[in-house]
Amino acid sequence: MATADEALTFFENEVRPLLVKRCYECHSDTKQKGGLRVDHIGYLKSGGDTGPALVPGKPEKSALIEAVTYGNADFQMPPKEKLPASEIAILEKWIKMGAPWPEDAAKKVVVTEGGLTEQQRKFWAFQPVQKVSPPDAGGSWVRNDVDRFIAEKQAEMKLKPASEADRHEQVRRVYFDLHGLPPTKAQVDAFVNNKDSRAYEKLIDELLASPRYGERWAQHWLDLVRYAESDGYNQDAYRPHAWPYRDYVIKSFNDDKPYDQFVREQLAGDEIAPDDPNVFIATAFMRHPVYEYNLRDIRGQWDLIVTDMTDTAGELFLGLSMGCARCHNHKFDPILQKDYYRLRAFFTPVHWRDDLKLVPPGEKKAFDEQEAKWMTATAELRAKMDALTRPEIDKRVKTWLVSFPEDLQAMTNKPADQRDSLEKQLAGLCERQLDFARASFDPMKDIKDEKAKAEYKALREDLNKFDHLKPKPLPEAFVVTDAGPKAPANKLQTRKGDLEIEPGFPAIVDSAPPKITPTQTSTGRRTALADWITRADNPLSTRVIVNRVWQYHFGRGIVGSASEFGTLGELPTHPALLDHLTAKFVAGGWHFKALHREIMLSATYRQTARREPDEAVAKIDPANRYLWRFHPRRLDAEQVRDAMLAVSGELDLTAGGPASDGNGTRRSIYTRKKRNSPNDLLLALDMPAGFTSIAERQSTTTPTQALQLLNGDWLRARAHHLASRTKSIEDAWLAVLGRQPTDQERATAETFLETQMTRVKQAPPKNEIAANDQGFKVNTQHERLLVSVNDKEGDEFTVESIVKLDSVDKNAELRTLISHWDGGKASLESFGWSIDVTGQKSRYKPRNILMQLVGEDENANIGYQVVASDIHIEVGRRYHLVVQVSSARHSVTFTVRDLDTPGAAAQSAVVPMDRLSKLSQGASPIYLGGLGKRNPTRQWDGQIEALRIVSGTSAASMLSTDPEKWNAGLFIWRAADPLPSQFTWSGADSTADSEDTPLLKAMTSLCQVLLTTNQFFYLH
């Protein structure tokens, strides 16, 4: 038997070189395939995904020998070529000897349970939160315990705090911080002039009690949960029922809901309180992954959805990049691949529900009872209608269904109550696509037989007579549940086959198995996860959320990498302070508002930002990590937009409900957030798209921002509104910057106003249109005419008009006569159409009348087509122009008659069009004279004497060159008539009203300058 020295010599001469040569490339510090490292005996004993790699003294029981001898066809190492017999013998001999391994004290590795080292377990983030006593530091500067920790570190770094901000700086800071809005002049004056020694404390309490607080702080949470109101991917379909989750988050912040309850509701609201819609909606947290409506790889899509939920939960709640351990053990952090799949196991049972209503059971019962009465009364009518539509609908569904793999077809055809959990999940995604196929059928367009179509129309009219029995629709529930009490498989693929991984927590934090209590309908897994994340002794989740709050107040967390608490993240600058705040937060009931007060009442928070670093400070702490001043930072996109509306007096504070257009005046949190087509201003200012969890927003400076701010119509309109409300330079400064101008600023502003007024007075008069002329001219108050209509024109309609065009574009741009379209081509919201005349350099030749259409094609994709008439008109001449669209006949008919030439014959063209439908289902309203989204180069230039839209394709006898004889239509516009209420002139936002005085126009320019200054854009 070999001595200890002989055994170690054998290892160094024979074994270590063999391991280095054959194994280190895939199983050492840089790579650990299968979760295995072979560069230390501790790692070999703990093993990888398939268990210990060796058993000292027993080569026949060692997986390492099984692998190198190719004893298992599914488990062979090295995979490319078997080791020579001599090398296998070396490994067998070594293991028989007890697997000796020399221990270098400098490289000593103590591997504990799960293959984790003591050094890894001692990493700061995995240690219990300590109850820390504040140090005796800071002297008279200190206002609370926060300052004592900050002062101690500053003294260590030889730094000194800045002086306290003045009241103008303070009031602007706290309003933007807690409300995301600037204070009004009255609010500034009230605080600045308040002699109460507790005025600041009372202001903080007042702001925290306002509903504006929840609207601001909910935005931070929505960034973290990747909230958006569209699917993403190519179609980016709108999610009309996502907004209740946004309102839930806002209300939770306003109610100061404890954070542990807030988390538990989002992870397991369906298991905790399934009958409470105010809790159930919280599970929409798991509905935010991207989704593509026509992706046939259903299994792959569901895998991506579960992966997204897993990765987001790891980053959001634990501050760990769990996704890096999906394919192998984490390269840098002590996160095993098994840890990833343990976390994933909590989400594998999740089922996206599209069949539930967001109401209490009693309300749902009443609805069902009333609906049953309607269904009984209309059963015969609906059966007849179904007989007319069912064959074609079934055909479409079958065409779509057979595109799925056979196993998915079988799942989808299986009765829902006979499906297992995985079948419910996958068939559910299939059913979503089949519902899309069903909805693509339009009876009035797709029933080809005219007699059958007339019968269907009559039946529908009879059905409408029973509307008094039909209950009001209930709100759809954008939620999840589990697919059942038994979870689908959660397989980890290894070289020895698939391993079933049960739910569990990261071993570095808690290796104990979770206590899971299933219910009759749910696995109970997510409740167990929520309970663990919200445990008071969880070292990660507790620190992570406190650090996030600190980050949003100061622009940087105590841990600078807010969603990365692992070794790749930054170390905390003030670890004792983080633990102090965390312990106090948890002990105080997990309340955010108390944490806000603790931070904002500190002297640290109240420091001025208007301090420049001297030479010493610039060397010691140029990034202000140790807070020797309040850190100035740019307002985020929503703050900028909302502040512009607030100072201009236009901000619409209507709370809650469906989202609005971002070009309107509601708060940004209540505007539509589409992943692929966000609001232009918000996008330019770095609003996240909502594809992934965002812990910290980028703050870029780009040419796009400058163009938006200097040339954007929306901003110019805000400046004009602001100018109309201000009476002096002082008013403008107070409204925008929250302070009086300095003497130098006032003098500069006065000179600017004088220069601008001189330019306005010297400018030649614009070619304005007389009020009774009703012409359409770009950059005037009569640019476009907005039409409000209750009904839609559908896919069969006629546009009849009397028009005169004064010019065409000198390049290739179009002149738009009428549109029901915003010019987009990427989403359902952009479905629509326009009638246009081509420019001089158009590839369709100049002055050609054409139509652009965006709708759904026969494959249920978004289709775009240009239908050109090849009828060319002349400028300066009056025409009777008729365009008839028929999706059923796949054609557009153009008819044009020159009214300035007596007896002129009409020119006509029937042009084929693609099979496009849903042309009127876009979000844009109807505009005469331009597109729904203003584009100055697309505006009509000339007269639109009269125009109407009629449903259906009108017979020639119904048309007339005399608009006074028009008596039917969705609307009828006659320029000679007084302006009806359904029409609204839409002028150029970039041009002040023609009646503006030179002073108002100059003041508008000054306000626009102020709204684009760094002082407005930055929080100090």
Side-chain angles (χ1 to χ4, degrees), residues 75-103:
F75 186 52
Q76 298 177 342
M77 291 290 143
K80 294 181 180 179
E81 184 180 2
K82 185 178 179 180
L83 293 180
S86 59
E87 293 185 358
I88 295 174
I90 289 172
L91 292 175
E92 289 177 328
K93 179 179 178 180
W94 172 60
I95 295 174
K96 279 184 179 179
M97 297 168 69
W101 193 292
E103 191 64 78

Side-chain angles (χ1 to χ4, degrees), residues 670-741:
Y670 296 121
T671 60
R672 278 190 290 273
K673 185 174 181 182
K674 297 205 68 182
R675 284 173 161 131
N676 292 347
S677 52
N679 175 268
D680 291 338
L681 178 64
L682 297 178
L683 175 64
L685 295 175
D686 306 309
M687 179 189 74
F691 287 100
T692 59
S693 176
I694 298 296
E696 182 179 4
R697 291 195 178 192
Q698 294 181 327
S699 183
T700 63
T701 302
T702 66
T704 307
Q705 293 168 354
L707 291 171
Q708 282 279 350
L709 297 172
L710 294 176
N711 303 319
D713 298 330
W714 190 88
L715 174 56
R716 180 68 177 177
R718 308 292 74 76
H720 181 260
H721 279 276
L722 173 60
S724 66
R725 301 175 67 235
T726 56
K727 297 180 180 179
S728 65
I729 292 171
E730 288 76 10
D731 285 349
W733 246 259
L734 281 169
V736 179
L737 303 181
R739 63 174 178 83
Q740 293 281 355

Side-chain angles (χ1 to χ4, degrees), residues 72-325:
N72 184 334
D74 297 322
F75 186 52
Q76 298 177 342
M77 291 290 143
K80 294 181 180 179
E81 184 180 2
K82 185 178 179 180
L83 293 180
S86 59
E87 293 185 358
I88 295 174
I90 289 172
L91 292 175
E92 289 177 328
K93 179 179 178 180
W94 172 60
I95 295 174
K96 279 184 179 179
M97 297 168 69
W101 193 292
E103 191 64 78
D104 182 347
K107 298 180 180 179
K108 185 176 181 180
V109 176
V110 179
V111 180
T112 60
E113 183 182 357
L116 302 169
T117 69
E118 284 189 357
Q119 182 180 5
Q120 290 171 327
R121 290 187 180 279
K122 289 179 180 179
F123 187 69
W124 76 269
F126 307 129
Q127 299 304 301
V129 173
Q130 302 297 313
K131 291 185 178 181
V132 186
S133 298
D136 183 12
S140 61
W141 174 73
V142 168
R143 286 185 178 272
N144 65 16
D145 289 342
V146 169
D147 301 324
R148 300 184 194 281
F149 291 98
I150 297 296
E152 180 185 51
K153 197 67 177 181
Q154 287 181 346
E156 178 187 328
M157 304 294 293
K158 295 182 171 55
L159 296 168
K160 293 183 178 180
S163 60
E164 185 166 296
D166 65 31
R167 285 204 164 188
H168 282 96
E169 188 176 350
Q170 285 184 6
V171 69
R172 188 172 188 271
R173 179 185 302 171
V174 298
Y175 265 91
F176 269 117
D177 200 354
L178 290 180
H179 286 187
L181 296 169
T184 65
K185 181 179 182 298
Q187 290 165 337
V188 172
D189 290 343
F191 177 69
V192 170
N193 299 322
N194 193 333
K195 305 302 182 183
D196 188 339
S197 62
R198 299 191 69 256
Y200 180 82
E201 289 84 347
K202 291 179 179 179
L203 176 61
I204 298 301
D205 288 341
E206 177 187 332
L207 297 182
L208 288 171
S210 166
R212 305 287 85 77
Y213 158 74
E215 292 169 345
R216 171 58 190 160
W217 277 76
Q219 185 63 66
H220 297 314
W221 187 258
L222 296 182
D223 282 0
L224 291 167
V225 301
R226 75 271 191 244
Y227 174 81
E229 294 172 354
S230 66
D231 286 342
Y233 284 127
N234 292 326
Q235 190 194 36
D236 199 33
Y238 190 59
R239 293 176 170 176
H241 309 297
W243 62 265
Y245 173 79
R246 172 250 290 156
D247 286 358
Y248 159 82
V249 175
I250 293 172
K251 187 176 187 302
S252 294
F253 275 97
N254 279 330
D255 292 347
D256 201 18
K257 180 177 291 182
Y259 178 67
D260 57 343
Q261 179 184 345
F262 185 54
V263 171
R264 293 182 78 250
E265 289 175 353
Q266 292 180 77
L267 284 172
D270 58 307
E271 295 179 340
I272 296 169
D275 294 336
D276 186 348
N278 296 317
V279 174
F280 202 176
I281 186 57
T283 64
F285 160 70
M286 290 166 279
R287 290 295 299 265
H288 300 316
V290 295
Y291 166 79
E292 182 65 6
Y293 81 105
N294 64 350
L295 195 64
R296 299 304 194 265
D297 181 13
I298 296 294
R299 291 181 182 276
Q301 177 153 226
W302 185 246
D303 181 71
L304 289 174
I305 289 170
V306 177
T307 297
D308 180 287
M309 290 188 284
T310 307
D311 294 354
T312 301
E315 292 180 21
L316 170 58
F317 299 118
L318 304 179
L320 295 177
S321 52
M322 297 293 295
C324 295

Side-chain angles (χ1 to χ4, degrees), residues 329-402:
N329 289 348
H330 200 292
K331 298 286 188 184
F332 305 100
D333 288 334
I335 303 173
L336 308 175
Q337 189 180 18
K338 284 184 179 178
D339 288 338
Y340 178 85
Y341 279 87
R342 290 185 186 112
L343 180 61
R344 183 186 176 96
F346 290 106
F347 297 102
T348 53
V350 167
H351 185 199
W352 281 11
R353 299 299 294 269
D354 298 314
D355 58 334
L356 301 176
K357 306 299 181 183
L358 199 63
V359 293
E363 190 173 336
K364 179 62 166 61
K365 180 181 178 183
F367 174 89
D368 291 342
E369 290 173 352
Q370 185 60 39
E371 186 179 48
K373 296 177 183 178
W374 175 81
M375 294 182 73
T376 300
T378 60
E380 185 177 350
L381 283 172
R382 290 184 293 107
K384 292 179 179 179
M385 296 173 71
D386 189 63
L388 293 170
T389 59
R390 179 58 52 190
E392 179 60 28
I393 292 176
D394 286 347
K395 180 181 177 183
R396 294 186 182 204
V397 169
K398 183 178 180 180
T399 299
W400 201 295
L401 180 61
V402 297

Side-chain angles (χ1 to χ4, degrees), residues 633-647:
R633 61 185 186 272
R634 198 187 76 190
L635 301 176
D636 64 34
E638 291 86 352
Q639 285 177 311
V640 170
R641 180 183 172 278
D642 291 351
M644 289 178 175
L645 288 167
V647 301

Side-chain angles (χ1 to χ4, degrees), residues 456-706:
Y456 183 88
K457 185 176 181 181
L459 288 168
R460 187 171 63 181
E461 290 173 354
D462 289 341
L463 184 67
N464 292 340
K465 296 175 183 178
F466 292 88
D467 282 352
H468 65 284
L469 290 177
K470 198 172 185 179
K472 182 181 178 181
L474 297 177
E476 301 290 334
F478 190 68
V479 296
V480 308
T481 64
D482 273 2
K486 184 177 180 180
N490 181 46
K491 300 292 187 182
L492 168 60
Q493 294 180 343
T494 72
R495 294 185 180 276
K496 279 195 169 184
D498 291 347
L499 294 179
E500 176 64 25
I501 305 298
E502 295 297 325
F505 312 120
I508 192 71
V509 181
D510 187 353
S511 59
K515 296 179 180 178
I516 298 173
T517 305
T519 69
Q520 289 185 342
T521 59
S522 192
T523 64
R525 289 185 175 189
R526 285 178 286 110
T527 297
L529 174 63
D531 289 344
W532 178 78
I533 286 176
T534 57
R535 276 175 47 171
D537 62 349
N538 190 311
L540 288 170
S541 59
T542 53
R543 286 188 178 111
V544 165
I545 189 58
V546 170
N547 186 69
R548 292 195 193 281
V549 174
W550 182 277
Q551 171 202 346
Y552 293 132
H553 280 302
F554 287 100
R556 185 186 184 281
I558 295 173
V559 179
S561 50
S563 285
E564 180 53 270
F565 271 42
T567 57
L568 289 180
E570 298 184 31
L571 294 174
T573 54
H574 303 80
L577 173 58
L578 179 57
D579 277 12
H580 170 77
L581 290 174
T582 300
K584 192 170 183 178
F585 173 69
V586 173
W590 303 74
H591 289 289
F592 283 124
K593 290 187 178 182
L595 181 57
H596 291 310
R597 290 188 189 94
E598 181 82 4
I599 293 171
M600 299 181 76
L601 295 182
S602 68
T604 304
Y605 182 85
R606 295 195 223 185
Q607 292 179 98
T608 183
R610 305 180 190 281
R611 174 193 178 189
E612 292 301 320
D614 57 28
E615 184 176 350
V617 170
K619 289 181 179 179
I620 297 170
D621 185 23
N624 193 33
R625 289 160 56 90
Y626 300 101
L627 297 171
W628 45 266
R629 67 171 178 178
F630 185 82
H631 196 71
R633 61 185 186 272
R634 198 187 76 190
L635 301 176
D636 64 34
E638 291 86 352
Q639 285 177 311
V640 170
R641 180 183 172 278
D642 291 351
M644 289 178 175
L645 288 167
V647 301
S648 69
E650 302 170 274
L651 183 62
D652 178 358
L653 292 175
T654 302
S660 302
D661 189 337
N663 291 316
T665 58
R666 287 188 76 188
R667 282 207 75 168
S668 298
I669 198 168
Y670 296 121
T671 60
R672 278 190 290 273
K673 185 174 181 182
K674 297 205 68 182
R675 284 173 161 131
N676 292 347
S677 52
N679 175 268
D680 291 338
L681 178 64
L682 297 178
L683 175 64
L685 295 175
D686 306 309
M687 179 189 74
F691 287 100
T692 59
S693 176
I694 298 296
E696 182 179 4
R697 291 195 178 192
Q698 294 181 327
S699 183
T700 63
T701 302
T702 66
T704 307
Q705 293 168 354

